[in-house]
Amino acid sequence: MRRLILSLGILIGLAAPAAAEMELSVYSGWQTLPHSRISGELPNGGGSYDELVGWEGKPFTMPPYYGARATWWRSDTLGFGVEYTHTKAYADDSAKKALGFDRLEFTDGHNVLTANVMRRWPERWGKVTPYVGGGLGIAFPHVDADHVSGSDTYGFQVTGPAMRLTAGASYPINDRFSVFGEYQFTYSANEGTFDDGGTFKTNIKTNALNVGISLNF
């Protein structure tokens, strides 16, 4: 994990001095999650488990789904940068009941931080600029889990590697600002702990339709 974080810093450092253009973007949107399995050991010696979870994103429930990225465009078409996304994941009621959790969620963020490579085609369709990108990084969710055995987990954990894929298009408002819409997919492989001896392992995937605004300088 330390090597991965160091690699992110090196990539950012190499990209920034050569930047011809900086772009800062913020966005929100509609985020969903497909089902995935969660497994591990239940707290307080409750035994092993392996359960299919119907995760919910609830992007408009506080705190909302959002993201931000910085891109250093080294040329008209190629850029490097960093991106943070505050996704969310709530376990469905049937999974919680089966496992004995009153609450099982990553809701102060299933946070994903990546170093990105971006490719764009300036004004390919009139003033519209399509772009694609991908990134590798880490997941550091806020684990919020309340088990009937008395275990109450509440805090941030670095849980494993993450990646993202993005495809979208931007449209300029003026020389400094542009608006954009995009599809984004994130994936993370998470291993973490519950208080009182519990563990969890689960892969979280998100699909999102984002809208946002960028500042260029």
Side-chain angles (χ1 to χ4, degrees):
M1 189 61 63
R2 292 178 181 175
R3 292 181 180 177
L4 179 57
I5 296 172
L6 179 61
S7 298
L8 296 179
I10 292 173
L11 178 57
I12 296 163
L14 290 175
E21 176 190 347
M22 169 70 82
E23 183 177 60
L24 301 178
S25 305
V26 293
Y27 57 83
S28 187
W30 182 54
Q31 170 234 335
T32 64
L33 301 89
H35 290 54
S36 68
R37 303 201 73 84
I38 188 169
S39 60
E41 296 293 326
L42 290 171
N44 292 308
S48 61
Y49 67 94
D50 186 341
E51 187 73 22
L52 183 65
V53 180
W55 298 105
E56 299 178 76
K58 301 182 182 179
F60 307 117
T61 300
M62 294 299 293
Y65 161 77
Y66 65 89
R69 65 172 168 260
T71 306
W72 292 271
W73 292 103
R74 298 187 62 177
S75 70
D76 285 341
T77 58
L78 181 65
F80 298 90
V82 292
E83 184 166 357
Y84 164 76
T85 310
H86 180 279
T87 69
K88 299 190 298 177
Y90 296 78
D92 65 298
D93 289 340
S94 62
K96 289 188 295 184
K97 182 177 180 180
L99 297 174
F101 285 97
D102 295 320
R103 190 172 62 252
L104 177 57
E105 57 194 52
F106 309 117
T107 49
D108 200 7
H110 183 271
N111 304 291
V112 172
L113 177 68
T114 60
N116 295 344
V117 178
M118 305 291 290
R119 176 75 161 87
R120 66 181 178 182
W121 293 265
E123 299 184 343
R124 170 60 66 91
W125 304 314
K127 290 187 176 182
V128 176
T129 296
Y131 59 86
V132 297
L136 297 174
I138 58 171
F140 55 104
H142 188 275
V143 182
D144 187 356
D146 186 5
H147 194 257
V148 295
S149 66
S151 173
D152 188 3
T153 305
Y154 189 79
F156 289 97
Q157 300 182 29
V158 177
T159 54
M163 59 84 68
R164 80 172 77 242
L165 297 172
T166 304
S170 64
Y171 183 88
I173 301 173
N174 53 39
D175 291 341
R176 299 292 297 276
F177 291 93
S178 59
V179 293
F180 63 89
E182 64 187 25
Y183 164 76
Q184 189 171 103
F185 171 80
T186 66
Y187 173 89
S188 60
N190 303 273
E191 292 190 42
T193 60
F194 299 124
D195 287 356
D196 302 306
T199 63
F200 67 88
K201 181 177 181 180
T202 186
N203 298 328
I204 299 292
K205 294 162 278 188
T206 69
N207 296 287
L209 296 176
N210 300 328
V211 292
I213 189 167
S214 296
L215 168 65
N216 303 275
F217 56 94

